[in-house]
Amino acid sequence: MIAYRLLTEEDTSAFCHKVTAALAKGWVLHGDPQYAFDHSTGRMRCAQAVTKEVDGPYDPERRLGEL
């Protein structure tokens, strides 16, 4: 099964660390990063999709961050 996650964060080094941590756990970048202005906070936000091949069937109770 291929698991999918969309990582999001404000446009700070925290976003880069979040993506780097996912890559270190075997996740693979999927597509280009995206950026958008969050009017409620007045800040830019980033998003990056990642995927990972995992054993077993899909289980909606399984936390993706623990894969």
Side-chain angles (χ1 to χ4, degrees):
M1 176 191 86
I2 297 177
Y4 171 90
R5 292 176 68 193
L6 182 64
L7 306 174
T8 62
E9 185 69 53
E10 285 188 3
D11 187 14
T12 66
S13 62
F15 175 72
C16 295
H17 287 286
K18 185 182 278 191
V19 174
T20 300
L23 295 174
K25 293 179 180 177
W27 292 85
V28 177
L29 298 176
H30 182 80
D32 295 327
Q34 301 295 311
Y35 300 91
F37 183 72
D38 183 345
H39 290 280
S40 65
T41 63
R43 297 176 183 243
M44 292 297 291
R45 291 199 55 89
C46 305
Q48 174 64 59
V50 292
T51 59
K52 183 177 185 180
E53 183 74 33
V54 296
D55 293 330
Y58 172 67
D59 178 0
E61 299 298 318
R62 200 169 176 189
R63 292 183 48 100
L64 296 174
E66 296 173 358
L67 295 177

